[in-house]
Amino acid sequence: MEPELYRDFEHTGPRTLAGRYMRTFWQPIYRAEDLLPGHAIPIRIMSEDFTLYRGHGGRPHLVNFRCAHRGAQLSTGWVEDDCIRCRYHGWKYDGSGQCIEQPGEEATFKKKVKIRTYPTREYLGLTFAFLGEGEAPPFRSFPHFEGPGLLLILPRETWPCNYFNRMDNDPDPFHVVFTHHESVHRAQLQGRYTKRRVSAEVTPYGVRETVRLPNSGFDFLHQYMPNVFQLRVRTGVVSARGADEKKVWEDRLIWAVPLDDENSYRFEIDLADVSGFEAKTLDADRRKQAQRSGDSLNWYGEEILAGKLSIEDLRRDLSTYEIFRVEDYVVQVGQGRIANRSAEHLTYLDAGVVLKRKLWERELKLLAESKPLTQWTIPSVRDNELRD
């Protein structure tokens, strides 16, 4: 096999190396609260279409996109108890994919028909699925996000670029100085980000990046193989006194998941070190931001990319968090739906990016040669440094 194929991280269809690798892990596919009992939706993950529905008992199910009879789209049908019924001719499938009713047909024929189902699990406010072949691996948990504090599950974010555009941005702390110049300036935080030194090392979970700050402090960024990122940030929340804004710590966990090769999802959960009044205030603030974010922020990004608007022109009432999103959109989507990495000139500041790509290349080579893949582990401690 040509070595270039081990570096094709962008294409994740079911027959690609990267797609096969991603399918060896559980992946988030939806925010749990957005799927109500008795509802079904079409969903596309890694260039494949599925039907996601929640039974009336609350359990999520992921099944084939189409009915086995005449290929109708199953999500247009009805959810009945823990089953789904096709709108075309009424064929009904249980949670295992077995056809249990075929109105007007011979009673025995339904036993011969079964559609594929996929294991699902809900955790930390997200619905996960295993889309690979064979038995699902043990589910990976993140114990440091199960502790006390306010857990914020952000709406699923969809951008018109490859998921690797998004993943390559995460272990790149130096981009904050320029990409986020406007939001950092508005938040009056520029002193913290002026100079940084970056180092990266392989860990049992992936890559740990250490960022030395000007005040002799450190930031730590964590890349969990293959597509999860964790960092710690400071965020503002109105204090109980009402007038003051208090800075609190937030642990942030992010998944970059392909919708297809040219579009991607971002799933994010934040664990904020707040309680009581501050927790209610921060929760309400984030929900308000979510209502006016999403497509509207993408619109700002597209206007900037088209030269019709500049980041400095963004409305003053947008939060720092929202401006961050627009700034990231501009540089990540602006690389193209699939970035041309052959034209890059990487430097020592790209240490985390380079090391992560090397791990990906190594794993794809192992997969291509049918050799055992690395068994990555998740630390069990709530620690910004995450040393095993």
Side-chain angles (χ1 to χ4, degrees):
M1 186 173 289
E2 295 296 326
E4 289 76 15
L5 292 177
Y6 308 141
R7 293 189 287 273
D8 181 6
F9 314 135
E10 296 84 7
H11 297 91
T12 57
R15 295 179 180 83
T16 64
L17 267 181
R20 288 168 54 199
Y21 183 57
M22 288 281 280
R23 285 169 175 78
T24 65
F25 297 86
W26 288 81
Q27 298 291 350
I29 60 172
Y30 215 64
R31 187 169 69 159
E33 67 182 76
D34 294 334
L35 184 64
L36 300 177
H39 285 245
I41 61 165
I43 189 169
R44 187 167 176 81
I45 303 286
M46 291 187 279
S47 301
E48 288 191 281
D49 295 310
F50 307 92
T51 300
L52 175 65
Y53 73 93
R54 189 182 298 281
H56 288 285
R59 182 180 174 185
H61 298 274
L62 190 69
V63 303
N64 276 6
F65 182 66
R66 300 189 183 281
C67 176
H69 180 206
R70 298 271 297 279
Q73 185 174 318
L74 275 176
S75 62
T76 64
W78 298 270
V79 176
E80 300 178 0
D81 296 326
D82 226 27
C83 307
I84 189 165
R85 187 186 295 276
C86 180
R87 182 172 290 274
Y88 200 7
H89 296 93
W91 284 24
K92 182 177 178 181
Y93 303 89
D94 66 16
S96 72
Q98 179 63 53
C99 187
I100 58 174
E101 285 187 19
Q102 294 173 332
E105 302 293 344
E106 293 290 336
T108 58
F109 186 65
K110 61 178 179 285
K111 296 179 181 179
K112 301 178 182 179
V113 178
K114 189 173 185 178
I115 60 175
R116 184 171 178 183
T117 62
Y118 302 82
T120 60
R121 178 166 175 174
E122 292 191 331
Y123 177 66
L124 296 177
L126 298 176
T127 301
F128 290 79
F130 177 70
L131 306 178
E133 301 296 331
E135 185 176 352
F139 187 83
R140 297 197 303 177
S141 61
F142 298 86
H144 38 282
F145 282 82
E146 299 172 5
L150 171 66
L151 191 66
L152 299 160
I153 303 96
L154 275 64
R156 184 183 67 179
E157 184 176 70
T158 306
W159 281 8
C161 66
N162 188 267
Y163 77 112
F164 229 85
N165 289 30
R166 310 219 62 184
M167 284 174 55
D168 269 352
N169 180 74
D170 292 330
D172 178 9
F174 193 75
H175 84 281
V176 173
V177 180
F178 296 97
T179 300
H180 299 297
H181 176 270
E182 180 65 16
S183 52
V184 167
H185 174 73
R186 292 190 189 187
Q188 299 181 340
L189 294 172
Q190 55 266 37
R192 175 177 171 81
Y193 298 101
T194 51
K195 295 181 181 179
R196 294 176 166 214
R197 295 189 65 83
V198 180
S199 63
E201 59 184 319
V202 177
T203 70
Y205 56 80
V207 176
R208 175 178 179 268
E209 198 166 1
T210 303
V211 185
R212 184 183 294 273
L213 302 174
N215 59 2
S216 299
F218 296 91
D219 274 347
F220 299 96
L221 311 176
H222 310 282
Q223 303 173 66
Y224 300 115
M225 286 289 287
N227 61 324
V228 191
F229 180 69
Q230 182 184 338
L231 74 162
R232 197 172 220 207
V233 298
R234 296 275 278 184
T235 191
V237 59
V238 177
S239 72
R241 289 178 292 179
D244 301 324
E245 187 182 75
K246 176 183 176 182
K247 296 295 183 181
V248 299
W249 282 111
E250 255 183 43
D251 292 302
R252 184 166 294 169
L253 198 60
I254 301 165
W255 286 261
V257 179
L259 185 163
D260 52 33
D261 293 339
E262 296 189 345
N263 301 274
S264 57
Y265 300 124
R266 172 188 167 114
F267 295 91
E268 178 183 324
I269 59 174
D270 299 336
L271 181 63
D273 188 17
V274 292
S275 60
F277 174 83
E278 291 170 347
K280 292 181 180 178
T281 302
L282 182 57
D283 185 49
D285 184 56
R286 283 295 175 83
R287 289 183 181 276
K288 183 186 298 183
Q289 290 179 18
Q291 288 177 356
R292 68 182 188 183
S293 296
D295 291 341
S296 64
L297 294 186
N298 289 10
W299 179 86
Y300 283 122
E302 289 297 330
E303 291 291 288
I304 293 166
L305 287 172
K308 299 176 182 178
L309 192 69
S310 74
I311 288 177
E312 289 71 26
D313 294 331
L314 291 174
R315 291 174 8 212
R316 305 302 297 185
D317 63 334
L318 289 179
S319 69
T320 303
Y321 187 85
E322 290 170 310
I323 298 171
F324 250 69
R325 282 287 195 265
V326 176
E327 291 166 330
D328 273 333
Y329 185 100
V330 169
V331 298
Q332 293 174 42
V333 175
Q335 294 175 47
R337 287 185 175 259
I338 299 179
N340 178 13
R341 293 183 173 82
S342 66
E344 292 176 330
H345 295 77
L346 300 180
T347 72
Y348 77 95
L349 287 173
D350 301 307
V353 175
V354 171
L355 189 52
K356 179 201 64 183
R357 291 186 191 177
K358 286 182 177 179
L359 292 183
W360 260 81
E361 185 175 347
R362 183 189 74 186
E363 295 301 303
L364 295 192
K365 187 173 188 295
L366 290 173
L367 181 61
E369 296 174 351
S370 300
K371 294 180 179 178
L373 300 173
T374 303
Q375 299 302 302
W376 306 101
T377 59
I378 303 298
S380 60
V381 295
R382 271 191 83 197
D383 180 358
N384 185 37
E385 297 188 35
L386 294 184
R387 293 185 181 273
D388 278 358

